[in-house]
Amino acid sequence: MKELKGIKIGKYYIEKPIVQGGMGVGVSWDQLAGTVSKNGGLGTISGICTAYYDNLKYCKKVVNGRPIGAEALNSKEAMMEIFKNARKICGDKPLACNILHAMNDYSKVVEYAIEAGANIIVTGAGLPLELPKLVENHPDVAIVPIVSSGRALKIICKKWKAAGRLPDAVIVEGPKSGGHQGVKAEDLFLSEHQLENIVSEVKEERDKWGDFPIIAAGGIWDNDDIQKIMELGADAVQLGTRFIGTYECDASEEFKNILINAKKEDIVIVKSPVIQALMLGTLFTPNFIISFSAGLISTLFMIFLYRFRKYLSLLSISCISAFTHNLLQLIVVYFLLFRNISLNSKSIIIFIVIFLGLGVIMGLITGVITSKINLKRNKI
């Protein structure tokens, strides 16, 4: 049995080679991350949707129980409070913050995390090529990308080296990890995408750039799993789901019990947001209603206008329909989310004008393309 030795991520020594994965929304905040770090692992605070911390206490803009806008959703004040409370548990032991690259205001949230006291920034859901630039004034902050292939690591290392940095560690996710995967759903369980093969591939690429730690993630459950993946070249492991059923996890008891009582057949792979909504019973969310209703009505309106094509050109029909689509979205948004907000604000009026103007522009572009295609078709 291989001895579990600590690892060094940048200047930070992690006593036990176990990283707790960042889990949002509100699954890994101060209690879980602080406790993991206190006990020698690396606790990771989830950096997404921090406005929901402590029942929206630190959210600046709430309508109908929801944060409105990226700045309100990703609250700096909440981030500061989460880290402050985690520090009460773990003291000055290393703490990481996981920030999705695909999220709105990614660069701002990185700044919030650093200001709050994050020692390590972990980023997945995309290639965080700009991360070295975001931490250039904070050389002590370690940066750790999440990859699913050696090729992704090569791209990151090449770009980061040009900016004067290299990863301080790399997290390698296999197909059994939760969250954002790097391959198509139908390809997830092909041999070349399995964690044991990806680790070897990433290790080969890592060796070309340095000797920073490789942290394997996805489907690692017990000591046997840890030993097996370390024999293949991993220096540490990341576990997420394993921590959810603990007393210290920040998730609600209802959420914990769902996972504790889950059966194998309850695990699903989601291919798209719409499929996810259908599978998980959350189809009629505000975002879906806004997009679907505006799209449906404007399409029907376009069909209606087409009946008058003797009097209206395709360009006119396209512009009117695109304008109507954006106008309907604004109307639905207002009645669904913003009925209590005054429309007299100068910034809101400017936004409405720009939004409707963009609709006309998109209508023009679509109309020109459609007209040209129709002209060619008539010639044939």
Side-chain angles (χ1 to χ4, degrees):
M1 182 180 293
K2 188 175 180 179
E3 182 184 356
L4 299 183
K5 297 179 180 179
I7 60 170
K8 200 169 184 182
I9 300 178
K11 63 177 288 186
Y12 306 103
Y13 182 70
I14 314 301
E15 301 166 30
K16 298 180 176 67
I18 295 177
V19 176
Q20 164 253 308
M23 296 173 284
V25 174
V27 180
S28 66
W29 276 341
D30 50 343
Q31 297 301 307
L32 179 57
T35 304
V36 171
S37 287
K38 176 185 176 181
N39 287 282
L42 177 62
T44 306
I45 289 169
S46 170
I48 67 167
C49 303
T50 49
Y52 283 101
Y53 181 70
D54 201 2
N55 295 316
L56 299 169
K57 180 178 177 181
Y58 302 95
C59 185
K60 293 179 179 178
K61 193 173 184 181
V62 181
V63 176
N64 296 331
R66 290 175 176 269
I68 300 300
E71 188 173 344
L73 185 61
N74 303 307
S75 167
K76 177 181 178 180
E77 290 76 10
M79 180 81 83
M80 301 292 286
E81 194 68 16
I82 292 168
F83 269 89
K84 184 177 81 173
N85 290 329
R87 289 291 176 201
K88 291 177 182 177
I89 299 170
C90 69
D92 61 357
K93 290 193 174 183
L95 275 173
C97 186
N98 182 296
I99 306 170
L100 298 180
H101 186 255
M103 73 187 296
N104 290 328
D105 284 345
Y106 169 73
S107 59
K108 276 190 178 180
V109 177
V110 171
E111 290 176 16
Y112 297 165
I114 293 171
E115 189 174 340
N119 305 114
I120 300 166
I121 301 294
V122 176
T123 291
L127 298 176
L129 302 180
E130 73 276 36
L131 187 52
K133 179 73 174 175
L134 298 178
V135 301
E136 64 179 349
N137 295 324
H138 308 276
D140 288 343
V141 174
I143 48 178
V144 179
I146 300 174
V147 302
S148 296
S149 68
R151 180 174 174 271
L153 179 61
K154 179 180 180 179
I155 293 170
I156 290 170
C157 287
K158 188 175 181 180
K159 187 73 173 180
W160 285 16
K161 187 174 183 180
R165 289 288 298 261
L166 281 172
D168 293 292
V170 60
I171 296 172
V172 186
E173 286 191 341
K176 294 180 182 178
S177 61
H180 306 259
Q181 296 297 335
V183 294
K184 296 178 181 178
E186 53 268 27
D187 296 335
L188 278 176
F189 296 101
L190 294 177
S191 175
E192 62 264 33
H193 297 310
Q194 299 314 296
L195 183 60
E196 55 269 24
N197 293 325
I198 302 173
V199 166
S200 301
E201 175 189 328
V202 169
K203 185 177 185 301
E204 184 178 344
E205 184 62 39
R206 187 280 311 268
D207 290 344
K208 298 174 184 177
W209 301 93
D211 61 352
F212 47 86
I214 295 173
I215 303 165
I220 297 169
W221 193 250
D222 54 26
N223 186 56
D224 287 344
D225 294 331
I226 295 172
Q227 293 291 336
K228 287 175 185 175
I229 205 66
M230 283 189 166
E231 286 174 5
L232 294 173
D235 302 292
V237 294
Q238 177 176 277
L239 287 75
T241 308
R242 191 66 155 132
F243 285 105
I244 293 177
T246 62
Y247 171 79
E248 295 84 1
C249 180
D250 297 273
S252 67
E253 292 303 311
E254 293 81 2
F255 184 83
K256 293 178 187 180
N257 287 329
I258 287 172
L259 266 82
I260 291 170
N261 298 319
K263 301 178 179 63
K264 185 176 181 180
E265 55 268 24
D266 295 325
I267 302 171
V268 295
I269 297 170
V270 176
K271 292 186 179 181
S272 77
V274 174
I275 293 175
Q276 178 188 35
L278 290 167
M279 293 172 72
L280 304 182
T282 57
L283 180 61
F284 296 105
T285 59
N287 288 341
F288 183 85
I289 294 171
I290 291 165
S291 298
F292 182 78
S293 58
L296 177 63
I297 296 172
S298 63
T299 300
L300 293 173
F301 186 56
M302 186 183 293
I303 294 170
F304 172 76
L305 289 176
Y306 191 70
R307 298 177 63 182
F308 300 94
R309 59 188 179 277
K310 288 184 179 180
Y311 311 102
L312 294 170
S313 65
L314 288 176
L315 189 63
S316 300
I317 293 172
S318 179
C319 288
I320 295 170
S321 299
F323 177 86
T324 304
H325 178 268
N326 282 19
L327 179 62
L328 286 168
Q329 283 199 74
L330 289 173
I331 292 171
V332 175
V333 165
Y334 176 73
F335 283 103
L336 198 64
L337 299 175
F338 298 112
R339 293 183 69 177
N340 298 323
I341 293 179
S342 171
L343 297 180
N344 294 327
S345 167
K346 183 179 178 181
S347 59
I348 291 178
I349 293 172
I350 292 172
F351 170 78
I352 291 173
V353 171
I354 292 173
F355 190 69
L356 294 176
L358 286 172
V360 175
I361 293 169
M362 289 305 299
L364 280 168
I365 295 170
T366 306
V368 168
I369 294 171
T370 305
S371 297
K372 287 185 177 181
I373 293 173
N374 192 54
L375 188 62
K376 287 184 178 180
R377 189 192 68 177
N378 290 336
K379 286 181 179 180
I380 295 172

